[in-house]
Amino acid sequence: MVAARLPSTGFLRARARRRGALSAALVVYALLLALALGLGSAHWATHGEYPFGVVRAGPWSVWPRAGSRDADPYTRAVIARSGDIPLGVGEGLLLHATVDSDGRPLDARCSYRIGPSTPQARFWTLTVYDAAGRPAGAQDRRNSFTSSEILRDAAGGFEILAAHEPRSGNWLMLPDSGRVSFVLRLYDTPASAGSAALDPRAVPGIHRLECAP
Amino acid sequence: MSRAAYFLLATLCGLMLAGMTHLSAVLAIPWLAENDAFARLRSTLSADRSELVAAPGDQSTWLPYPDPNVAVATCAYSLDEGPVRVSARTGPLFQSLSFHARGGGVYFAITDRAAVRGVLEVVVMTRRQLDEALAAEDPEDPSRDVRIVSPTREGLVVIRVLAAFHSQRPEATEAARSVACTIDREE
């Protein structure tokens, strides 16, 4: 009897030790999983564009709540990580385009026609940015237009030609290559009160003309 | 329980903890960020004048997606020592003030249309400072200040001045950096 019990207690003790090691490993595994998934997903959700609250108007994306008191926590985190200072509601509205009116990504090797009208605003500016979010080109290049500088046609409409090579009229210079984006800022606009004013017909279209091979 | 069941249980616990970690990280980012606008401008808290962040066309600014036609200047404020009086002289150029709470959220914005005799003047205070000011005030002769309540004790006042033409850029820069942000001490 005794001889038969001894190996069985040894077996039980070894099993308990194994179980302890197993549960410790599982706790470490659960904690590591929590850290990796939690921090990784938080990082992923708070870099780049604001993840929530986007309103699309033609090729343009607008985040009407980014500059308001009730911006969601993800928007606040994106603002904090990028160091951005968003335009406040009542100050203006920012429209960002990374695609043309047909949904194709904006490419510096192509040329684009932008116009003919914008939503109502006291002033607006249209700027072309490179892939890193800097105004495209050097300081003396034409990378932006304001509503006061633009040449208009007889009906009051305008046409901005964005291309790498010079064009007559309102020419906006694109960089040599790479992705570009356009930002239209409406300063002091009634459109910021509600995005119902952001009708796809009221915002300027971005039409691709031709592309260099 | 079998080994697989333990593993499943640990995975479920891990996922739940991951959700909590995710939420707390997102909520904590605005307060821990070292590159957000407030953290970058913390050193200007004691300045009486607005600090230029981006001159029009400035390519070297840290501001992402800067508007090359706009001069951006800021006053970082802390309401610990009293309300902050922001006073901007408006000119022919479009000018706007926006008020950002630390940790995100624009709680007030005003454009030069609201200027009285060419001056935009706003007093930023906490709820408690507003209550004290209202209690101390003579009801026959109320203050004419525009008072706004900041949801946090710290924040940023951002001044934007638009240069509609290239030649107005120096003027816009000058207007943006000449906004006074002084602590309103009690008499």
Side-chain angles (χ1 to χ4, degrees):
Chain A
M1 284 289 276
V2 172
R5 220 165 42 220
L6 269 178
S8 99
T9 50
F11 169 72
L12 276 179
R13 216 177 290 143
R15 198 169 134 182
R17 213 182 298 132
R18 267 213 308 281
R19 188 166 283 178
L22 180 71
S23 39
L26 283 176
V27 166
V28 169
Y29 157 74
L31 288 179
L32 284 180
L33 185 73
L35 267 183
L37 273 184
L39 294 182
S41 60
H43 167 80
W44 176 79
T46 59
H47 83 284
E49 288 189 340
Y50 306 126
F52 302 115
V54 65
V55 175
R56 304 224 187 255
W60 306 95
S61 302
V62 190
W63 289 268
R65 283 211 303 277
S68 74
R69 197 190 269 258
D70 46 346
D72 62 84
Y74 288 88
T75 301
R76 288 170 192 232
V78 172
I79 291 172
R81 286 192 55 190
S82 63
D84 197 8
I85 303 179
L87 274 175
V89 172
E91 192 177 23
L93 195 63
L94 183 146
L95 293 83
H96 191 199
T98 53
V99 293
D100 65 11
S101 289
D102 295 323
R104 293 168 294 201
L106 296 173
D107 193 317
R109 287 171 304 172
C110 301
S111 55
Y112 296 93
R113 191 181 71 233
I114 305 167
S117 62
T118 67
Q120 195 190 341
R122 221 166 116 205
F123 289 100
W124 54 258
T125 67
L126 182 93
T127 311
V128 54
Y129 293 90
D130 60 19
R134 305 262 124 215
Q139 192 139 15
D140 50 343
R141 294 230 188 135
R142 169 58 83 181
N143 49 26
S144 180
F145 271 112
T146 70
S147 49
S148 311
E149 292 170 323
I150 214 92
L151 301 170
R152 291 172 190 273
D153 61 22
F158 65 87
E159 189 180 82
I160 294 174
L161 290 165
H164 183 58
E165 303 301 326
R167 302 294 170 98
S168 62
N170 300 311
W171 172 51
L172 206 55
M173 187 175 179
L174 293 184
D176 304 335
S177 60
R179 289 286 170 83
V180 290
S181 63
F182 294 116
V183 172
L184 176 67
R185 288 180 175 86
L186 307 167
Y187 289 101
D188 209 353
T189 170
S192 54
S195 39
L198 292 173
D199 188 80
R201 282 163 300 175
V203 298
I206 304 174
H207 303 287
R208 190 158 99 178
L209 299 176
E210 72 271 334
C211 288
Chain B
M1 267 206 288
S2 71
R3 213 172 266 198
Y6 275 121
F7 184 71
L8 201 66
L9 185 71
T11 307
L12 280 178
C13 289
L15 287 179
M16 262 168 63
L17 282 175
M20 284 153 70
T21 314
H22 174 90
L23 285 181
S24 25
V26 168
L27 290 175
I29 283 173
W31 301 97
L32 301 177
E34 289 173 358
N35 287 325
D36 73 330
F38 185 82
R40 285 175 192 269
L41 294 159
R42 192 189 295 278
S43 59
T44 65
L45 268 174
S46 55
D48 282 349
R49 292 259 152 209
S50 50
E51 185 86 6
L52 194 69
V53 170
D58 179 8
Q59 297 272 352
S60 57
T61 174
W62 47 264
L63 208 61
Y65 290 94
D67 187 339
N69 308 291
V70 170
V72 181
T74 64
C75 280
Y77 66 79
S78 162
L79 299 175
D80 288 339
E81 286 174 53
V84 171
R85 182 176 294 268
V86 182
S87 171
R89 195 162 283 282
T90 59
L93 307 182
F94 171 82
Q95 186 169 358
S96 64
L97 297 181
S98 55
F99 296 78
H100 301 244
R102 193 187 161 200
V106 186
Y107 61 91
F108 189 68
I110 193 170
T111 68
D112 57 350
R113 269 185 213 262
V116 179
R117 293 200 191 94
V119 178
L120 267 178
E121 195 166 88
V122 173
V123 181
V124 184
M125 39 181 44
T126 60
R127 168 70 55 194
R128 191 194 173 100
Q129 286 163 347
L130 176 65
D131 290 344
E132 282 169 2
L134 288 176
E137 191 166 275
D138 180 359
E140 300 292 313
D141 181 26
S143 160
R144 287 166 185 270
D145 288 341
V146 178
R147 291 163 167 168
I148 54 167
V149 171
S150 169
T152 51
R153 297 190 72 85
E154 291 175 321
L156 288 177
V157 182
V158 177
I159 303 106
R160 287 187 167 94
V161 186
L162 178 77
F165 296 99
H166 203 288
S167 56
Q168 292 172 335
R169 288 182 173 186
E171 199 183 333
T173 308
E174 206 40 55
R177 65 150 62 110
S178 61
V179 172
C181 309
T182 48
I183 292 171
D184 226 17
R185 294 192 195 279
E186 285 160 39
E187 293 86 37

